């Protein structure tokens, strides 16, 4: 499993224990790994590895699991949101940002959105040198962002464009898209998603 360097994120950033939270939610639903695997179209072995923190799930896999378990994506990143009150609904403190790795290539994400289920979510993403994002979510809604450091190639409907620090972008998330770090230095992007419930693939 890929590790995240603490200095890639804000001071006090919290490493999300996705495996433990997935297992807890699954058991609360009284589902076996095999039952969840069948409903989510994810292999039982993959779910077992995720729960034991032996594999970093892709965002697509997390999306498939959360749809079956009927929880927001953030439920895998932090504790129950049932007792949220006051500013916890709309503020994310610097020291409370959960971070996590996705996939096998070392892409790291730090959640900036407040806890809970929100139509708009945003995060910092760190893409290592030479890495292309895999299994990007597609569906109804929009995605946008701004390059904070480094360079990235945005691949959108077969067209490639190089983005430099300060460049921003926005597109419908139903379009085929990908991001690729074509350089020998890591890139950091502020990534924003407007998600329509249950419409991502």
């Amino acid at each position: 499993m890929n590790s995240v360097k603490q200095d890639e994120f804000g001071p006090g950033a919290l490493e999300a224990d996705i495996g433990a939270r997935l297992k807890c939610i699954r058991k609360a639903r009284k589902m076996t790994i095999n039952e969840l695997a069948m409903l989510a179209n994810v292999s039982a072995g993959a779910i077992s590895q995720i729960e034991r923190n032996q594999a970093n799930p892709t965002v697509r896999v997390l999306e498939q699991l959360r749809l079956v378990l009927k929880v927001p994506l953030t439920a895998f990143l932090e504790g129950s949101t049932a007792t949220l009150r006051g500013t916890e609904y709309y503020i994310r403190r610097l020291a409370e940002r959960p971070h996590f790795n996705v996939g096998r290539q070392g892409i790291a994400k730090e959640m900036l959105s407040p806890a809970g289920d929100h139509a708009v979510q945003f995060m910092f993403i760190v893409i290592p040198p030479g890495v292309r994002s895999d299994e990007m979510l597609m569906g109804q809604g929009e995605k946008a962002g701004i390059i904070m450091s480094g360079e990235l190639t945005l691949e959108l409907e077969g067209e490639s464009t190089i983005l430099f620090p300060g460049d921003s972008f926005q597109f419908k998330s139903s379009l085929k898209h990908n991001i690729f770090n074509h350089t020998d230095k890591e890139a950091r992007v502020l990534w924003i998603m407007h998600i329509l419930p249950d419409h991502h693939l």
Side-chain angles (χ1 to χ4, degrees):
M1 192 169 72
N2 295 307
S3 61
V4 180
K5 294 182 295 184
Q6 185 68 29
D7 58 5
E8 287 178 346
F9 297 121
L14 308 171
E15 186 165 4
D17 191 344
I18 292 174
R21 293 198 171 96
L22 170 59
K23 185 175 182 178
C24 182
I25 295 168
R26 174 180 63 78
K27 288 192 168 185
R29 300 290 189 275
K30 297 183 175 9
M31 296 177 70
T32 66
I33 288 179
N34 287 334
E35 287 170 339
L36 177 57
M38 183 180 66
L39 293 172
N41 195 28
V42 176
S43 76
I47 293 174
S48 177
Q49 284 188 317
I50 293 168
E51 289 191 352
R52 289 180 285 129
N53 288 319
Q54 293 182 343
N56 294 317
T58 63
V59 174
R60 179 183 291 275
V61 166
L62 288 178
E63 181 73 2
Q64 290 169 214
L65 293 172
R66 79 147 195 99
L67 288 173
V68 171
L69 296 170
K70 295 181 172 28
V71 295
L73 188 60
T74 53
F76 296 132
L77 308 180
E78 50 204 331
S80 170
T81 59
T83 59
L84 290 180
R85 57 182 70 177
T87 59
E88 292 175 311
Y89 281 113
Y90 55 88
I91 290 177
R92 168 75 71 184
R93 299 292 182 186
L94 174 62
E96 297 171 352
R97 296 177 184 171
H99 66 77
F100 58 106
N101 286 359
V102 294
R104 301 177 180 175
Q105 302 190 72
I107 295 177
K109 302 189 177 188
E110 180 184 17
M111 182 62 68
L112 303 177
S113 297
D117 198 3
H118 301 281
V120 175
Q121 295 182 347
F122 62 114
M123 62 189 74
F124 283 130
I125 303 180
V126 177
I127 302 101
V131 167
R132 175 178 273 102
S133 58
D134 55 0
E135 300 190 9
M136 297 288 280
L137 294 180
M138 295 173 61
Q140 296 183 37
E142 294 194 355
K143 294 182 179 180
I146 184 169
I147 307 303
M148 308 299 292
S149 63
E151 298 177 15
L152 284 174
T153 297
L154 174 64
E155 301 170 344
L156 187 62
E157 290 288 287
E159 183 173 311
S160 297
T161 306
I162 295 178
L163 301 173
F164 302 96
D167 289 348
S168 55
F169 56 88
Q170 184 171 349
F171 55 86
K172 294 187 181 302
S173 58
S174 58
L175 301 176
K176 186 176 181 180
H177 59 279
N178 221 319
I179 51 175
F180 170 53
N181 184 348
H182 57 273
T183 75
D184 59 0
K185 297 180 180 178
E186 73 176 23
R188 183 181 175 92
V189 59
L190 173 62
W191 188 263
I192 304 164
M193 300 182 295
H194 173 239
I195 300 172
L196 297 180
D198 302 344
H199 284 289
H200 273 73
L201 304 174

